[in-house]
Amino acid sequence: CTKRSTGQRVDIAFCSAAGRKPSSKRGSCRLSACPDNTPVWKPRSWKPCNATCGEGVQTRNVPCRLRGTNVHKSRCTAPRPPTKRPCTMKPCPLVIHGQWSRFTSWSKCSRTCGGGMQFRKRHCNNPAPKNGGQPCQGANLLGRICNDRTCAEGSLDFRAEQCAQFNGHPFNSGTYQWTPHPTGVNKCRLFCQQNNDTSRPFILRPTVVDGTRCHPTQNNRCMFGRCQVAGCDNVIGSPAKFDRCGVCRGGGSSCMDIKNQYSVQHIVSGQYPITVIKKDARLVNISKSARAVNSSFVIADGSGRPLILSPVDNNRSVNLYVPIGQMYITYKRVPGQREVITIAGHVSQTLRIMLNVSE
């Protein structure tokens, strides 16, 4: 109790009832809540079901958060609420895998001799794949070689027939005789050459007719513009091969090598017989020394009618690739080098090889 004028403490008896000393009892008070320092799991909303039909799964994110911020999940000590749950949608339609129909009958053979092609088809509609079903496995088109007997002597090779269809037709302001070109590019395009000139190949058709041999010495066949492997058994895809004697799956022991040398000198102009190559011979190679000047090879048929007659001028290069019946003859001569005749496959008719000598 204090005196107002001086502030001096005086006896409590001098104070009025209104100015008595307040009670010393304690009371309660309420302020704002203290911040929570315990991280807790905060589940997010469930995502849509991952399946459009049948059974699926829903997922959600459940982060560990502290005062509105994501913290490492290890700081949340309570069990984590689930992040996945199964979900069920409408029933799924039945999945149907594709199955093949029966093959059609074989088509008509594309040739009457020399090896043509036949085809047959099937369709993936028995049943067709539906509702995510798997497509049919395997090929929908099969081909096979047919009528593979040898054509009559003098008949053209199939590729040569196709080139010959353009004989006499106007081309680049001229008309020509066309024969196959020995290109190593796409073997199933119709490359042809003018008048046996190998220096300038031309594509007369984008693809050869199905069944054409990819190469005259191979049994592989062109189908739909692509070369398909065909064995000597005439089965597409077969690995069977001819041996050096022309025997399918043979061991190469049914034939023998024949070698000879012609060394007669001639001083009088004329044509002199060298040798006869019989029908069905294989892998023929004949060469003339570069020293044998003023002479050239003549290739004639069995009766002596010239099939290839090269100029005697040894200073002139010659490069011929000539189809004769069912075979192809390569004739090359480069000044200062050997003059060479090559028949890579089998000989389809008797040939006479002669030497044309000029003084």
Side-chain angles (χ1 to χ4, degrees), residues 105-119:
S105 300
W106 289 103
S107 64
K108 183 180 178 181
C109 190
S110 61
R111 299 193 75 198
T112 58
C113 64
M117 291 295 297
Q118 287 180 298
F119 299 98

Side-chain angles (χ1 to χ4, degrees), residues 161-331:
E161 284 183 7
Q162 296 169 59
C163 286
Q165 292 175 359
F166 294 88
N167 288 350
H169 290 231
F171 183 86
N172 289 351
S173 303
T175 57
Y176 306 92
Q177 299 296 304
W178 296 94
T179 56
H181 185 275
T183 179
V185 194
N186 188 333
K187 296 178 175 63
C188 292
R189 287 186 174 184
L190 186 61
F191 281 93
C192 302
Q193 59 192 15
Q194 299 170 346
N195 304 327
N196 297 327
D197 179 8
T198 59
S199 64
R200 299 183 64 196
F202 295 90
I203 301 175
L204 299 189
R205 281 204 191 105
T207 60
V208 295
V209 178
D210 287 340
T212 305
R213 293 177 186 268
C214 304
H215 188 275
T217 63
Q218 300 173 353
N219 215 39
N220 299 343
R221 305 299 173 110
C222 292
M223 290 175 55
F224 309 112
R226 299 184 64 181
C227 185
Q228 304 289 334
V229 173
C232 58
D233 52 4
N234 289 334
V235 176
I236 301 296
S238 168
K241 295 183 179 181
F242 289 108
D243 67 2
R244 70 188 189 96
C245 303
V247 177
C248 188
R249 294 193 179 95
S253 59
S254 61
C255 60
M256 62 179 181
D257 294 331
I258 298 177
K259 297 181 180 180
N260 207 341
Q261 183 173 349
Y262 185 83
S263 56
V264 179
Q265 294 185 353
H266 299 280
I267 59 174
V268 179
S269 299
Q271 291 184 357
Y272 298 91
I274 298 176
T275 189
V276 174
I277 301 174
K278 296 183 178 180
K279 182 180 177 181
D280 294 328
R282 292 178 60 83
L283 308 177
V284 176
N285 186 286
I286 304 172
S287 62
K288 181 171 70 69
S289 170
R291 296 193 300 271
V293 296
N294 298 329
S295 63
S296 63
F297 284 131
V298 176
I299 304 174
D301 61 15
S303 64
R305 179 176 61 90
L307 301 174
I308 297 179
L309 180 61
S310 175
V312 176
D313 184 2
N314 293 105
N315 294 318
R316 178 181 171 184
S317 294
V318 179
N319 189 359
L320 301 177
Y321 182 74
V322 184
I324 297 177
Q326 300 297 306
M327 62 183 168
Y328 285 82
I329 299 177
T330 301
Y331 183 97

Side-chain angles (χ1 to χ4, degrees), residues 47-215:
K47 295 180 180 179
C49 189
N50 66 351
T52 57
C53 65
E55 301 295 327
V57 175
Q58 278 183 293
T59 60
R60 67 176 178 178
N61 189 19
V62 183
C64 180
R65 293 177 67 83
L66 175 62
R67 296 196 295 274
T69 304
N70 288 351
V71 296
H72 193 271
K73 63 182 180 180
S74 63
R75 297 184 62 181
C76 286
T77 57
R80 188 181 191 184
T83 59
K84 294 182 180 181
R85 70 180 182 184
C87 53
T88 303
M89 308 298 286
K90 63 182 180 181
C92 292
L94 182 64
V95 175
I96 299 175
H97 299 301
Q99 298 290 333
W100 290 113
S101 67
R102 291 172 177 261
F103 274 107
T104 61
S105 300
W106 289 103
S107 64
K108 183 180 178 181
C109 190
S110 61
R111 299 193 75 198
T112 58
C113 64
M117 291 295 297
Q118 287 180 298
F119 299 98
R120 62 177 182 176
K121 297 180 180 179
R122 59 179 177 175
H123 302 279
C124 188
N125 60 2
N126 189 35
K130 191 175 181 181
N131 301 325
Q134 295 294 322
C136 298
Q137 302 298 311
N140 68 332
L141 181 70
L142 291 182
R144 70 179 182 185
I145 300 171
C146 51
N147 292 342
D148 60 331
R149 63 183 179 276
T150 303
C151 294
E153 187 171 325
S155 300
L156 286 178
D157 167 82
F158 194 20
R159 189 181 292 264
E161 284 183 7
Q162 296 169 59
C163 286
Q165 292 175 359
F166 294 88
N167 288 350
H169 290 231
F171 183 86
N172 289 351
S173 303
T175 57
Y176 306 92
Q177 299 296 304
W178 296 94
T179 56
H181 185 275
T183 179
V185 194
N186 188 333
K187 296 178 175 63
C188 292
R189 287 186 174 184
L190 186 61
F191 281 93
C192 302
Q193 59 192 15
Q194 299 170 346
N195 304 327
N196 297 327
D197 179 8
T198 59
S199 64
R200 299 183 64 196
F202 295 90
I203 301 175
L204 299 189
R205 281 204 191 105
T207 60
V208 295
V209 178
D210 287 340
T212 305
R213 293 177 186 268
C214 304
H215 188 275

